[in-house]
Amino acid sequence: MSNQLYALAEQLGQAIRTSSDFQQLKQAYEAVRRDETAYRIFTNFRDLQMRLHEKQMTGAEILPEEVEQAQKAMTLAQQNEKLAQLMALEQRMSMVMADVQQIAMKPLEELYRSFTE
Amino acid sequence: MSNQLYALAEQLGQAIRTSSDFQQLKQAYEAVRRDETAYRIFTNFRDLQMRLHEKQMTGAEILPEEVEQAQKAMTLAQQNEKLAQLMALEQRMSMVMADVQQIAMKPLEELYRSFTE
Ligand SMILES: [Ca+2]
Ligand SMILES: [Ca+2]
């Protein structure tokens, strides 16, 4: 059984939830949520991104206009103070999460590496 | 600072390393490593898979012969007892890791979900 692993994962989740990175990210989300303009720019940007991602995954053709549209939506988002703040905090959070994952997965990585050497 | 997160990630890594799932996986790798036939089938299979994966990533054409070759290599691997054992243990480990990740990432998932509702 892996009960100890799950208990530690639970603790890690709680530590993430109470971290200042997470709390700041949550506040940034709430600030965007309360701001109609910021929220509309955000949902538009996300919808465009998801459509492009889906096309990439299914190998469908991506039109130059669509790339341009997505770039414009990104620029609009970056020019919005609340969204710029949210994206900066999201990036910081994903860097922390990548570090956390790398540390936790080190034993497996070492095992694979030693095997393929 | 996220020192607490990193300390917990370190603990999780140690718990993974000492788990029976990991120890069994390690033994299965060592058994394959010691068996020339099994190891040759494994490296051949992995090389084919990596080549196909690279082609998929770069959008290069995958020939029917290559798909067939990969399927044959997979069948060969499954017929080898040590490799079948290794693959079963790898699958179990990746299911445990997926659970662990899902538990630890729950706060972020909830944050995103509440935002997009
Ligand atoms: Ca406004
Ligand atoms: Ca042999």
Side-chain angles (χ1 to χ4, degrees):
Chain A
M1 277 300 293
S2 305
N3 279 338
Q4 202 209 343
L5 293 190
Y6 296 140
L8 279 168
E10 190 72 50
Q11 273 187 57
L12 187 56
Q14 286 306 320
I16 290 168
R17 199 191 298 278
T18 54
S19 70
S20 67
D21 285 343
F22 183 86
Q23 290 303 320
Q24 283 175 48
L25 182 62
K26 192 165 183 271
Q27 281 163 23
Y29 269 119
E30 285 161 359
V32 169
R33 201 44 155 148
R34 283 193 302 268
D35 183 329
E36 267 178 54
T37 308
Y39 193 63
R40 197 178 57 241
I41 295 169
F42 173 85
T43 50
N44 179 49
F45 173 55
R46 192 198 49 202
D47 292 350
L48 284 170
Q49 267 198 323
M50 278 171 64
R51 219 178 308 154
L52 285 185
H53 184 69
E54 208 180 289
K55 282 198 161 193
Q56 258 177 336
M57 287 298 104
T58 58
E61 194 191 357
I62 293 171
L63 304 171
E65 301 93 272
E66 290 176 310
V67 175
E68 208 185 313
Q69 227 182 354
Q71 278 165 349
K72 273 187 190 160
M74 180 65 175
T75 304
L76 259 181
Q78 279 166 338
Q79 283 166 351
N80 182 287
E81 207 183 325
K82 291 197 181 74
L83 286 172
Q85 169 77 345
L86 175 61
M87 291 187 289
L89 290 169
E90 270 186 336
Q91 204 178 348
R92 202 172 70 193
M93 180 56 92
S94 64
M95 279 166 63
V96 172
M97 288 302 102
D99 283 348
V100 161
Q101 196 173 334
Q102 209 192 344
I103 294 168
M105 300 295 271
K106 211 177 156 201
L108 282 166
E109 208 192 281
E110 283 173 1
L111 179 58
Y112 299 140
R113 205 179 334 121
S114 75
F115 184 62
T116 50
E117 250 156 21
Chain B
M1 276 301 292
S2 306
N3 279 337
Q4 203 208 342
L5 294 190
Y6 296 140
L8 279 168
E10 189 72 50
Q11 272 187 57
L12 187 56
Q14 286 306 321
I16 290 168
R17 199 190 297 277
T18 54
S19 69
S20 67
D21 285 342
F22 183 87
Q23 291 303 320
Q24 282 175 50
L25 183 61
K26 191 165 185 266
Q27 279 162 27
Y29 270 119
E30 284 161 0
V32 168
R33 202 42 156 148
R34 281 192 303 267
D35 184 327
E36 265 178 55
T37 308
Y39 193 64
R40 196 177 58 241
I41 295 170
F42 172 85
T43 50
N44 180 48
F45 173 55
R46 193 198 50 202
D47 292 349
L48 284 170
Q49 267 199 324
M50 277 171 65
R51 219 178 307 155
L52 286 185
H53 183 69
E54 208 179 289
K55 282 197 161 194
Q56 258 177 337
M57 288 296 104
T58 57
E61 195 190 359
I62 292 170
L63 304 171
E65 300 94 271
E66 289 175 311
V67 176
E68 209 185 313
Q69 225 182 356
Q71 279 165 348
K72 272 187 192 160
M74 181 64 174
T75 305
L76 260 181
Q78 279 165 337
Q79 283 165 352
N80 180 288
E81 208 183 325
K82 291 198 180 75
L83 285 172
Q85 168 78 347
L86 175 61
M87 291 187 288
L89 289 170
E90 270 187 335
Q91 204 179 349
R92 201 170 71 191
M93 181 55 95
S94 63
M95 280 167 64
V96 173
M97 288 302 102
D99 284 348
V100 161
Q101 194 173 336
Q102 209 192 344
I103 295 168
M105 300 294 270
K106 211 177 157 202
L108 282 167
E109 207 192 283
E110 284 173 359
L111 179 58
Y112 298 140
R113 204 178 333 119
S114 74
F115 184 62
T116 50
E117 253 158 18

